[in-house]
Amino acid sequence: MSQENESDVIEFPDPLDFVFPEEVTMPDGTVIRGRTVGESGIITNMDDWKLYPLYQVDTYDPDNMILVIARDDGTKFKIPENDVVISIIIFLLDNPGATPNDVVANIIDWKSEEIEGLLEDEKLMANIAFFIFNILVMLYMFDLIRIEK
């Protein structure tokens, strides 16, 4: 690999600050994220759609810096220091073809070890699930995952 500098690496947006367009669609017009939950295919098809990573981890250090390389053109992304984003990236690498529901279940299970009472708090679980779905949509928007219907 050629030498690189920081200008060769794109900062992947922090999902907490990311402003989504009104709609995110696939090339065939399928809505992945719409204005409502019912219009968001990533949610309504969470048991059917398969997710495939289009990246490899380039660099990982204990300070949570992960560089993700998109396989199609070698573009590198620095992932924000967000444990959920990092966990999703690693989970998809370890589980190509996982469904959005698989990703949510994995993260909820892991977070339930950190957050007492999470599994009894439906509103908190729904908020975490929605956050995860948003991250998956962002990964799709940046061509870091492929979705198969």
Side-chain angles (χ1 to χ4, degrees), residues 58-111:
D58 180 68
T59 304
Y60 178 72
D61 74 24
D63 296 324
N64 290 327
M65 182 178 20
I66 295 181
L67 296 179
V68 180
I69 187 168
R71 290 187 314 195
D72 59 348
D73 64 3
T75 303
K76 293 184 179 185
F77 295 87
K78 181 181 183 292
I79 302 304
E81 294 180 16
N82 180 301
D83 60 349
V84 174
V85 177
I86 292 167
S87 295
I88 290 170
I89 287 170
I90 300 302
F91 180 80
L92 289 174
L93 275 176
D94 291 343
N95 300 279
T99 65
N101 192 44
D102 294 334
V103 178
V104 169
N106 177 268
I107 300 298
I108 294 282
D109 183 54
W110 162 59
K111 282 296 188 183

Side-chain angles (χ1 to χ4, degrees), residues 23-74:
E23 235 179 35
V24 178
T25 60
M26 293 178 151
D28 69 1
T30 302
V31 177
I32 296 172
R33 185 181 190 279
R35 292 179 298 268
T36 66
V37 170
E39 295 175 350
S40 299
I42 195 84
I43 297 172
T44 59
N45 297 291
M46 68 178 153
D47 291 320
D48 302 317
W49 287 2
K50 306 287 187 211
L51 310 173
Y52 296 92
L54 300 176
Y55 54 83
Q56 300 290 328
V57 174
D58 180 68
T59 304
Y60 178 72
D61 74 24
D63 296 324
N64 290 327
M65 182 178 20
I66 295 181
L67 296 179
V68 180
I69 187 168
R71 290 187 314 195
D72 59 348
D73 64 3

Side-chain angles (χ1 to χ4, degrees), residues 108 112 141:
I108 294 282
S112 71
M141 290 173 67

